[in-house]
Amino acid sequence: MTPRIFHADAILPGEEAPLYDGALVIDENGMLLDVGPAGEVLPRHAGAPVQRMIGVLLPALVNAHAHVELSALRGKVSGGHGFVPWVERMMGLRAAERPEDDAEAIELAAADMERFGTVAVGEVTNTLGAVGALARHGIGGAVFHEIFGFDRERALAKLAAMNEERMARAVEWPKGDIVHAPAPHTVYTTHPDVVREVVAEVRASGARTTVHLAEHPAERSFLAHGSGPFADFASRIKFPIERFPVPHAGPVKVAADLGLLAPDVLLVHLTDVRSEELDSIAASSAPVVLCPRSNLFIEVKLPPLLEMLDAGIVPALGTDSLASNASLDLLAEARALADRFPSVSPRTLVRMATAAGASALGRADLGRLKKGLRPGVLSVQGSLKPGDDPCAFVLRQPAAARKWVSRRRLGEHTGVVA
Ligand SMILES: [Zn+2]
């Protein structure tokens, strides 16, 4: 098959400024052979078939934080009262219903993610329950196998068992686009020696890991004083928190002391972060991932995006799970931020949903429309009005206006589907 040319009203490269009246050339494997202004690209590929697209082209989306295995909890956990009441309800339901065993709900969620235009995900898992479904829907990225535990010896034993399970199950998974690594749940629910062990293992293998950090005030009061709503909850359900050495410091300082402020650790949420903490995060080059709709649902609060951008951090986006979100659509996260931070440019928000997510997962080959890459290409259909910002247009259009132009398949070539 000869390469095909797609000529659109605008092309969003992911990081750089939009190209108005742009064209891109894709070979049968989904490789981008050329991207640029139509007036330059079309003459360079005279004779190749040209498809005129009414609308905008952009790279496939990278959802840097999700828990697809919890999809059966869609709509079942109420929010709005803060993290501790939410997690208490979620854990109660989870014990009774075992959402990770609901293969149908997981399959539906993965199919939705594919339909929304997702090429990669940072899936945080306790059970590896969604890995097969994600692979079946062509979604790669990272599987972060989560470790909890207040008791040092028991948590280290769990980590060893988890590593064995992951290695054994890995043979069932498609190779190529999925990497897997252990990940501490948080710095207040995972014994510090176990966090250090995870960091050492991940660093030795050249992979990445992730941690939920500075998500809510109860985390801060537990780390600083060993007390507060989280300590009360943990005592009530008989977690052995007396085995956990309270560090008497804030979450970001604790993370720094454990080696988590580094370019290979995705820091998720930061809803409760303080200005001076943001400076140390920015200096560390650790990737930051925001899950705005989940934060709004649980805490009725958003992370300080303007301060982050001022500090030089361009966060990635994640959906978190359907236990705290209405959908796994990453552009709905960007839209939620656009509604509440009107001073942030739509171009930055599109970058957060594409290139920043890819960078966070260590995938420079995704999230960007650049010659030589196979990132997966989406179109957002509709008529741009004169003077319209194509990034704002992409955020405004409904998910139904999104179509795959070139779909990336795990470990295989990509077919042009449009
Ligand atoms: Zn999460």
Side-chain angles (χ1 to χ4, degrees):
M1 205 171 90
T2 49
R4 288 177 65 183
I5 303 177
F6 294 90
H7 176 189
D9 298 325
I11 291 178
L12 312 184
E15 226 156 6
E16 284 102 40
L19 290 162
Y20 292 87
D21 193 32
L24 54 80
V25 186
I26 312 179
D27 78 4
E28 75 258 40
N29 295 321
M31 174 81 76
L32 294 176
L33 303 178
D34 203 352
V35 186
E40 295 172 17
V41 171
L42 298 178
R44 279 202 289 264
H45 304 269
V50 179
Q51 187 163 339
R52 185 70 176 91
M53 315 286 291
I54 306 301
V56 177
L57 300 177
L58 74 158
L61 309 174
V62 180
N63 183 343
H65 184 83
H67 306 254
V68 181
E69 71 182 7
L70 298 180
S71 295
L73 297 179
R74 183 194 294 254
K76 291 186 178 167
V77 190
S78 52
H81 300 283
F83 181 81
V84 169
W86 175 83
V87 82
E88 189 161 10
R89 289 191 192 104
M90 195 275 283
M91 285 173 65
L93 272 174
R94 190 173 191 178
E97 295 196 10
R98 294 198 48 81
E100 53 274 11
D101 292 345
D102 190 335
E104 197 181 332
I106 291 170
E107 196 73 31
L108 271 174
D112 275 350
M113 291 174 84
E114 181 183 10
R115 190 166 51 80
F116 293 139
T118 316
V119 68
V121 65
E123 164 71 355
V124 178
T125 178
N126 301 133
T127 65
L128 307 173
V131 181
L134 290 168
R136 278 192 291 283
H137 289 280
I139 299 168
V143 174
F144 297 119
H145 205 165
E146 193 166 64
I147 179 96
F148 296 84
F150 300 89
D151 179 288
R152 180 183 185 277
E153 304 312 322
R154 280 170 59 188
L156 283 171
K158 268 201 260 180
L159 176 63
M162 213 179 72
N163 282 342
E164 263 180 48
E165 184 195 0
R166 209 174 45 250
M167 294 309 161
R169 293 278 301 277
V171 296
E172 305 163 17
W173 300 340
K175 296 285 178 283
D177 280 337
I178 296 181
V179 295
H180 46 88
H185 171 239
T186 70
V187 295
Y188 66 97
T189 54
T190 311
H191 191 284
D193 287 353
V194 180
V195 177
R196 282 192 196 93
E197 179 61 29
V198 167
V199 170
E201 280 181 20
V202 165
R203 230 150 254 169
S205 70
R208 289 182 176 220
T209 188
T210 187
V211 67
H212 299 92
L213 188 67
E215 184 176 1
H216 52 84
E219 169 182 352
R220 188 177 291 280
S221 56
F222 181 63
L223 288 169
H225 314 293
S227 61
F230 177 76
D232 297 346
F233 160 65
S235 307
R236 212 159 53 235
I237 64 164
K238 307 209 169 7
F239 276 155
I241 52 169
E242 68 287 351
R243 309 270 171 83
F244 183 84
V246 174
H248 300 287
V252 174
K253 168 77 166 65
V254 174
D257 291 346
L258 293 170
L260 291 168
L261 292 200
D264 52 3
V265 184
L266 285 72
L267 309 179
V268 181
H269 290 308
L270 301 180
T271 319
D272 184 48
V273 77
R274 294 180 176 171
S275 300
E276 65 277 13
E277 294 175 325
L278 269 184
D279 291 338
S280 56
I281 290 169
S284 75
S285 300
V288 168
V289 185
L290 307 185
C291 303
R293 290 191 301 160
S294 174
N295 296 155
L296 284 171
F297 182 83
I298 295 174
E299 290 285 324
V300 200
K301 198 180 167 199
L302 283 171
L305 176 60
L306 300 182
E307 272 187 73
M308 289 177 180
L309 293 169
D310 281 348
I313 298 167
V314 179
L317 292 175
T319 54
D320 227 350
S321 80
L322 290 172
S324 60
N325 206 343
S327 76
L328 302 180
D329 181 3
L330 204 64
L331 284 187
E333 301 302 324
R335 196 179 309 130
L337 292 175
D339 289 346
R340 290 160 184 88
F341 295 99
S343 64
V344 175
S345 78
R347 177 178 158 192
T348 298
L349 295 168
V350 169
R351 178 177 169 190
M352 288 166 67
T354 55
S359 298
L361 291 176
R363 294 294 302 262
D365 60 323
L366 299 177
R368 296 160 177 88
L369 298 184
K370 241 186 205 169
K371 191 175 163 179
L373 301 185
R374 290 197 304 129
V377 181
L378 301 176
S379 69
V380 175
Q381 296 167 342
S383 299
L384 274 177
K385 294 178 190 67
D388 256 1
D389 174 343
C391 297
F393 169 84
V394 158
L395 297 180
R396 213 170 50 228
Q397 288 295 89
R402 239 174 277 159
K403 298 271 183 302
W404 285 96
V405 169
S406 164
R407 194 179 307 224
R408 188 185 168 96
R409 283 286 172 200
L410 283 183
E412 308 169 359
H413 69 81
T414 315
V416 173
V417 295

